[in-house]
Amino acid sequence: MITTAALSQSHGAAIQELLEAVTAHDGVSPLDEAARLAITAGDAQHLLLGPDGDAPTEADEAAVPPTGYASVLADGTVQGMVRPDQRRRGHGTALLRAALDLRPDAGVWAHGALEGSLAFLTDAGLHETRRLLTLHRPLGPAHPVPEVPAPTLEDLQLDTFVADRDADAWLEVNAAAFADHPEQGALTREDLDQRLAEPWFDPEDLLVARRGQDLVGFVWVKREAEVEAGAGAGAADAEIYVVATSPAVQGHGVAGHLLATSLTRLQEAGVPGVELYVEADNAPALALYERWGFRVSGRDVQLRMAEKS
């Protein structure tokens, strides 16, 4: 097994191939965005298994993707995968043990809450500590965007994000709005710049709310699937990547105004549907999104080892 903080270009390409194979087989990606970005850049420890469960060699890299891969991110989360035709041979157990040796308190993700993944992790002694829900809402004439009251802040203006002008203020609002969120609230300027450099990023899809010169809220839409589909393909579902407002303006209808504006724009662009992610224990947010027509379409589960008494 290889353990490294910096992947070679060939190892990175091999992991991407493995990721594509596992995603196609399981119907869900075993790595979230942060883990995917960490393959090429980011603060993480990477664990790789070769075809026989050993360290991949240069010859392996040229022939087939590694048998298994896992990452331990700086935020303490672990995500991994094993080639479908190499499962139930101890590779997943080896990766999990190595990851937990590096980070005993890690939160291990089972994306898609697949039955096999959950059974493997619970049999290894982990228990569920967090559940993230995917919510989906269709768009179109049969599913009109709800009308929302105008914000009670008369001087509120909507604008398009400009990195040189807005990045620092965006980070301040994001940190304040998600102060209790283990990943979103910890985003740094480097993290933001990395996402702004992604092929799917379009500044027109990052709408900000201002009061004078102050940025007080934003809604960010991600249309990655459309980029992957290529020119000429039909419109794909979009993702409400993140929506937030400064605590100073919460309760004034800013978030609802941003969300309604964004959904209306997507509908007018012919986007057939939209999804977003929300913590399963966030009852107020779930109730709000249910009123907006969102329904649960997927689940991701995070598990941890029980603390020793």
Side-chain angles (χ1 to χ4, degrees):
M1 183 183 300
I2 289 178
T3 301
T4 179
L7 292 168
S8 67
Q9 185 174 358
S10 56
H11 275 144
I15 292 167
Q16 294 287 1
E17 291 180 47
L18 174 62
L19 176 60
E20 292 173 8
V22 171
T23 301
H25 180 273
D26 293 344
V28 61
S29 173
L31 307 181
D32 65 13
E33 180 185 62
R36 294 194 299 270
L37 291 174
I39 294 171
T40 54
D43 187 3
Q45 290 289 322
H46 307 275
L47 310 171
L48 290 88
L49 284 173
D52 298 318
D54 300 321
T57 66
E58 292 183 5
D60 294 332
E61 295 174 35
V64 295
T67 295
Y69 166 79
S71 63
V72 184
L73 301 186
D75 64 7
T77 56
V78 168
Q79 298 164 69
M81 54 188 170
V82 173
R83 286 175 60 85
D85 61 356
Q86 294 294 315
R87 293 173 180 173
R88 300 184 183 277
R89 301 184 184 184
H91 301 314
T93 298
L95 285 168
L96 179 62
R97 287 175 177 170
L100 292 177
D101 284 344
L102 290 172
R103 189 71 185 252
D105 64 339
V108 182
W109 279 111
H111 293 296
L114 300 178
E115 183 177 349
S117 297
L118 292 177
F120 164 68
L121 293 172
T122 54
D123 288 347
L126 285 75
H127 66 281
E128 180 178 335
T129 56
R130 184 180 170 198
R131 185 169 287 238
L132 187 67
L133 301 178
T134 306
L135 306 184
H136 181 271
R137 182 194 193 281
L139 296 172
H143 306 278
V145 177
E147 295 185 7
V148 298
T152 57
L153 304 172
E154 295 182 357
D155 56 346
L156 190 76
Q157 299 291 328
L158 301 187
D159 198 0
T160 299
F161 177 87
V162 178
D164 291 343
R165 177 192 64 190
D166 298 326
D168 290 339
W170 186 97
L171 286 166
E172 290 179 9
V173 172
N174 181 75
F178 294 101
D180 297 326
H181 195 281
E183 292 103 19
Q184 185 66 32
L187 284 181
T188 65
R189 179 60 189 267
E190 182 180 2
D191 295 327
L192 175 60
D193 288 343
Q194 191 177 17
R195 286 155 177 78
L196 297 180
E198 285 292 290
W200 56 263
F201 173 69
D202 183 343
E204 293 296 324
D205 285 335
L206 179 43
L207 197 63
V208 298
R210 303 181 173 285
R211 297 187 72 192
Q213 299 299 313
D214 296 331
L215 191 155
V216 297
F218 57 83
V219 59
W220 192 347
V221 170
K222 180 178 183 181
R223 291 197 255 185
E224 185 175 26
E226 190 167 302
V227 172
E228 294 175 347
D237 284 354
E239 176 189 341
I240 299 298
Y241 191 49
V242 59
V243 56
T245 57
S246 167
V249 301
Q250 288 176 4
H252 290 276
V254 178
H257 181 52
L258 283 165
L259 186 59
T261 301
S262 183
L263 291 179
T264 299
R265 287 185 173 188
L266 291 171
Q267 183 167 276
E268 291 173 348
V271 174
V274 62
E275 67 178 18
L276 54 80
Y277 297 88
V278 64
E279 300 290 337
D281 60 359
N282 190 341
L286 286 171
L288 170 65
Y289 289 130
E290 183 176 339
R291 291 196 298 271
W292 279 68
F294 285 88
R295 298 293 181 266
V296 175
S297 61
R299 296 168 177 81
D300 300 317
V301 175
Q302 189 179 99
L303 303 92
R304 296 177 185 271
M305 292 294 292
E307 295 183 6
K308 296 181 180 180
S309 56

